Amino acid sequence: MFAIVRTGGKQYRVAAGDKIVVDKIDGEAGSSITLGDVLLAGEGSDLKAAAGLTVAAEIVAQAKGEKVIVFKKRRRHNYRRRNGHRQLHTILKIVSVGSEEKKKAAPKKAAAKTAESEAPAPAAQA
């Protein structure tokens, strides 16, 4: 099964066992994350509804990309600036594709507490 997920403003086609390099995501190596922004899912040529699907992934490493040289120049003004930049990346290993999102039910205790807090407090006598 494969899925198209969006992270960092880019889209990736993933399947279980794939390794992808995405823009930096918070987390340490070895921790697991879920990618909830699934745009499309399918198996072979059959497409499935992507609503409520998630992709489970494990962070393999936090790394830096290749150095990009930024060179600015204005002719005839003796203006030259040289800068370097290394983009931060996260390497992900896709664990599973297409697990259902579990919606959290409202806890019953919270409903009881809100009913108690809405009751008028007894007036203090002076």
Side-chain angles (χ1 to χ4, degrees):
M1 182 171 195
F2 73 92
I4 307 289
V5 295
R6 179 172 41 205
T7 179
K10 300 176 187 75
Q11 299 173 7
Y12 302 91
R13 183 186 190 275
V14 297
D18 287 353
K19 286 186 180 179
I20 59 172
V21 178
V22 298
D23 287 343
K24 181 157 173 52
I25 298 175
D26 289 335
E28 300 199 11
S31 63
S32 61
I33 61 168
T34 57
L35 303 172
D37 197 1
V38 178
L39 304 174
L40 181 75
E43 194 163 346
S45 61
D46 299 331
L47 298 180
K48 297 183 179 182
L53 293 181
T54 60
V55 173
E58 179 183 336
I59 297 177
V60 175
Q62 301 284 7
K64 286 186 175 182
E66 293 293 316
K67 181 173 268 195
V68 177
I69 302 297
V70 179
F71 186 75
K72 298 179 182 181
K73 180 181 177 180
R74 295 188 182 149
R75 340 188 270 169
R76 297 184 299 270
H77 291 282
N78 194 28
Y79 176 85
R80 289 183 292 276
R81 301 291 182 266
R82 182 178 177 272
N83 259 330
H85 174 74
R86 292 184 71 184
Q87 185 69 32
L88 299 175
H89 294 300
T90 300
I91 302 171
L92 296 177
K93 181 178 181 185
I94 306 301
V95 177
S96 66
V97 175
S99 57
E100 291 290 326
E101 248 181 30
K102 296 186 179 180
K103 297 183 179 180
K104 295 181 180 178
K108 295 179 182 179
K109 292 180 182 179
K113 286 183 181 179
T114 56
E116 290 175 9
S117 63
E118 291 175 4
Q125 295 179 357

